Amino acid sequence: GTTSLLSWILKAASRLLPNFDRFNLGFQLTYAMPVDPVSVGWTFAYCALWMGIFMLVGTLLLNRREF
């Protein structure tokens, strides 16, 4: 039904869009808890991957336009 279609759309969107929760270090910083450097490295890699994807899509879209 409608609920399963909406559920499928939301699951697909959550997998296709970036997960900004990876960048949330507020809890660790608020309570002076240690931040794992490996986790920070993977977060930067995740950021670089998404930046590359958005840059590629933007480049492909702008190459089609005639100025």
Side-chain angles (χ1 to χ4, degrees), residues 27-50:
F27 184 78
Q28 287 92 343
L29 296 176
T30 300
Y31 295 104
M33 297 174 66
V35 177
D36 181 26
V38 173
S39 175
V40 173
W42 280 113
T43 300
F44 277 115
Y46 184 77
C47 176
L49 172 72
W50 277 104

Side-chain angles (χ1 to χ4, degrees), residues 1 4 7 10-13 24-25 29 34 37-38 40-41 49 53 60 62:
S4 62
S7 175
L10 291 175
K11 283 181 185 178
N24 186 5
L25 298 175
L29 296 176
V38 173
V40 173
L49 172 72
I53 289 170
L60 293 173
L62 287 176

